[in-house]
Amino acid sequence: MNWYGIVQLTNGIFSFFIGIFVLTRDVKNKIYRLFSIFCFFISIWCVSYSLWCLQAEVKPALFWFKMLIFGAIFIHTFYLHFALLLLDKIRELKYILFFSYAISILFAILDFTPFLIVNFNQAKFSFKFWPDANLLMSSFIFIEVFIAYYTGYLFYREYRATSDYSRKNQMKYLFILTFLGFSGGFTNWFYWYDIPISPFGNVLVTVYLSLTTYAILKHHLLDIDLVIRKGLIYSVLVTIISIAYLLLVFASETIFRGFMGYKSIPWTLSIILLFAILFQPLKSKIQYFVDRIFFKKTTQEMEQENIRLREELQRSEKLKAVGTLAAGMAHEIKNPLTSIKTFTEYLPKKYNDKKFIDKFQRIVSSEVDKINDIVGQLLDFAKPKPLDLKDWNIQNLLDETLDFLSNDLIKHKIKVIKNYTVLNPTIRIDPRQIKQAILNIILNAIDAMKNKGGQLMVFLHKDSEQYKIGIEDTGCGINRKDLPHLFDPFYSTKDTNTGLGLSIVHGIIEKHNGRIEVENALGKGTKFTIYLPKISP
Amino acid sequence: MSIRKKILICDDEEGVRESLKLILEDDYDLAFASTGIEVIDNLKKEPIDLIMLDIKMPKMNGLETLRELKNVSPKTKVVIVSGYRSVEAANEAIKSGASDYMVKPFDTDQILKTLNKILQ
């Protein structure tokens, strides 16, 4: 096997494990799934490449060459798909994606006909077999290069457009890495045209894979520079170690072959597997070494630091959340304050008026209770209480919540449309907590419509088992990439939001043995449906 | 002797209604309502010179009531009352035909001066 075969085998193994790693992080996440498929096709390309380099006879060499082309055919398409999903541009650029898939499928079929790979019997530089670039292959090369760099350009465009610091950083690195990784891979095309530039860039694929994985898995981290730096060091180390490891396998196999007198692919694979098992215990040592040398900390210490940072973040987010609620509460406090202020102002003039004194006692005392109640709610928010279940009219609760927010609704030109198919139903709930949940959802809806105004549809239905409360807006919708994190605590796409609101909603509904569903159409609106069981929690 | 002007106070909070009564009862004839629908019904029954209308009320909010009552009685003056200091809401109120926009809690002297000026 020549040097290029060894590098590609390293890439193949590495990309396969990255694919598995990303997939197992969250198999339901479509972005992760697509990135994993992209990695698996890189793996097919790389492993087939190394096996092609290994062959002495034309027939198996041709088979592995066709396999490597098969892998390469799909790499850029799945990468484009992944990028469009990450950038939430599938709908906008669906025709380009469709074109890319169609071209890939067409060339995948052509790959196994005699039309794409021709004259596969000439040695070029350190390769025993190399074909000619006919018109079909040249067309494929052109399209592949175009799609790959176009994907890089999409990252660049997002980098220019976004004002979010961490996303800007992420896009910057993805753009650079796309350019780096694909340019590395494209060094394979020069020999096709007899240009004496060897495929030296294959090693960049490993670097690319490692860095991109880090950017995806950790893109919400604040310190993306640290992540990238760490990713680079890891990738370089993994490359060096993997090459050393492969040389060891290669040497062992040569000795074994000399000793036994024959060669066999199953035996070679067995040796690779054996070394892979032996290699595993080294992994934690390498990780410890990297953390200690480059970051002056062990993984455990970094985890502890992450926990501490997260706790700090939670404390500040909680304070911000309380601040937001306090602003809303201040508005509610104005009414009782108005009464207390006016009555106390008139007290010196009217203290002999029995009627006035009676009213003073009744109204001022009731208004003080109201303020006390509002403060209590504020404290409940800061420190959630267990459920205080009461039989409560849910329709009234919905109306009260809408009234509470009527100023905001007016201010943002939002029209409320109510659709209650069940009138005045009594449900056993904690009214204060359910009100909080509904309030949070409506506040989000207002936020989604605040620039253009719109309609807020509130419905209340019931079926044999449960009540359904729906809140639907005609706002900007939620980005697809944000949907899986919607109920994560402190996950927010807005500078002004705490990211606590929907996680509190989720907690409250779960405590009631209910569930919450979200339907979303970007640019058209979002619909939340709360299901509350008829049987009390 | 001048005829006392009639003011309708509309607020869903009893405390606010009673507070405005304390401030205004010496100078004006007063009527009370706790919803927008009651305001419209009242207007259909008797002429009202000025309505003090809370912006945040159940069923029909202050601005909706304002638009509706202007159809019934275009000459009736309206002062919108709110616990929320908002330029947008004030603009919206003025555009819909309100004469002024007041923020709770009230300054007694200020409220009397404003109403006096509007009703002159």
Side-chain angles (χ1 to χ4, degrees), chain A residues 335 341 345 359 362 370, chain B residues 13-14 18 104 106 108:
Chain A
N335 272 341
K341 182 175 182 273
E345 272 178 9
K359 266 190 194 164
R362 185 169 59 82
K370 269 186 204 162
Chain B
E13 294 280 339
E14 191 204 355
E18 289 294 338
K104 296 172 190 172
F106 313 117
T108 309

Side-chain angles (χ1 to χ4, degrees), chain A residues 159-223:
Chain A
Y159 161 75
R160 294 292 301 266
T162 186
S163 56
D164 180 276
Y165 175 75
S166 62
R167 189 162 172 84
K168 210 174 186 68
N169 243 351
Q170 184 198 11
M171 289 302 130
K172 183 173 77 183
Y173 285 113
L174 278 171
F175 163 67
I176 295 168
L177 292 170
T178 306
F179 188 78
L180 193 79
F182 278 94
S183 299
F186 292 158
T187 54
N188 284 285
W189 296 125
F190 293 115
Y191 277 7
W192 287 73
Y193 301 98
D194 297 321
I195 301 165
I197 298 174
S198 66
F200 66 93
N202 287 340
V203 74
L204 294 175
V205 177
T206 316
V207 176
Y208 162 79
L209 278 166
S210 162
L211 298 179
T212 311
T213 306
Y214 259 86
I216 292 163
L217 296 179
K218 306 280 185 186
H219 68 82
H220 54 278
L221 284 189
L222 298 171
D223 192 356

Side-chain angles (χ1 to χ4, degrees), chain A residues 7 59 76 129 140 145 204 242 281 290 366 373 391 439 481 507:
Chain A
V7 170
K59 208 175 165 186
H76 61 276
F129 306 102
F140 168 69
V145 171
L204 294 175
S242 300
V290 170
S366 144
D373 196 42
D391 289 325
L439 185 86
K481 74 177 178 59

Side-chain angles (χ1 to χ4, degrees), chain A residues 338-375:
Chain A
T338 303
S339 314
I340 295 167
K341 182 175 182 273
T342 312
F343 272 83
T344 46
E345 272 178 9
Y346 277 79
L347 184 62
K349 266 198 257 174
K350 297 200 170 219
Y351 73 93
N352 283 328
D353 182 343
K354 192 177 177 302
K355 246 174 128 182
F356 170 83
I357 294 297
D358 286 348
K359 266 190 194 164
F360 183 96
Q361 280 175 338
R362 185 169 59 82
I363 288 172
V364 171
S365 142
S366 144
E367 302 296 50
V368 168
D369 284 347
K370 269 186 204 162
I371 294 175
N372 189 37
D373 196 42
I374 290 163
V375 173

Side-chain angles (χ1 to χ4, degrees), chain A residues 23 26-34 85 481 484-485:
Chain A
L23 195 65
D26 185 359
V27 77
K28 288 180 184 165
N29 187 319
K30 209 171 170 186
I31 294 176
Y32 286 12
R33 279 209 307 268
L34 272 166
L85 206 64
K481 74 177 178 59
H485 306 286

Side-chain angles (χ1 to χ4, degrees), chain B residues 53-70:
Chain B
L53 201 54
D54 185 25
I55 205 161
K56 197 167 86 58
M57 290 187 298
K59 293 188 177 75
M60 196 176 182
N61 70 45
L63 286 180
E64 287 165 347
T65 309
L66 170 61
R67 288 180 203 119
E68 186 75 27
L69 74 86
K70 283 284 173 189

Side-chain angles (χ1 to χ4, degrees), chain B residues 4 18 22 27 34 73 80 92-93 105:
Chain B
R4 276 164 65 102
E18 289 294 338
L22 267 178
D27 301 292
S34 56
S73 174
I80 292 286
E92 193 66 31

